């Protein structure tokens, strides 16, 4: 699943592919924003951990991963 994270005062968003379910990501974001955790911590498909301070989150977009298309065919 593709996750896009906006960070305050940063012009670029963080984009990662994660094997976590949408519900797991939503619970992690909710826990970070309600103050239970001070950081949002997610793991991507390669096993890298992304840690963002909760007070710097601008937005989190949770979406389904799109299959990458190869070639020049008209779709």
């Amino acid at each position: 699943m593709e996750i896009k994270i906006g960070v305050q005062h940063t012009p670029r968003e963080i984009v990662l592919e994660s094997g976590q379910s949408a519900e797991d990501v939503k619970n992690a974001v909710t826990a970070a924003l309600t103050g239970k955790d001070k950081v949002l911590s997610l793991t991507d498909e390669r096993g890298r951990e992304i840690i963002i301070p909760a007070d710097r989150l601008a937005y989190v977009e949770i979406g389904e991963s799109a299959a990458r298309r190869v070639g020049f065919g008209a779709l």
Side-chain angles (χ1 to χ4, degrees):
M1 129 174 348
E2 183 180 66
I3 303 168
K4 295 181 182 179
I5 304 169
V7 181
Q8 294 178 8
H9 310 296
T10 304
R12 295 180 60 190
E13 62 189 9
I14 299 170
V15 180
L16 65 126
E17 287 286 332
S18 177
Q20 296 173 299
S21 70
E23 192 65 31
D24 290 341
V25 173
K26 186 176 177 181
N27 290 338
V29 171
T30 303
L33 293 176
T34 58
K36 293 179 184 175
D37 299 329
K38 301 291 184 194
V39 296
L40 173 62
S41 177
L42 299 172
T43 305
D44 72 356
E45 288 183 339
R46 296 181 183 175
R48 296 179 292 192
E49 191 168 10
I50 293 88
I51 301 171
I52 303 165
D55 61 345
R56 297 291 181 211
L57 288 175
Y59 64 90
V60 177
E61 182 180 317
I62 303 169
E64 294 298 320
S65 60
R68 295 188 176 157
R69 295 188 172 103
V70 177
F72 296 100
L75 298 176

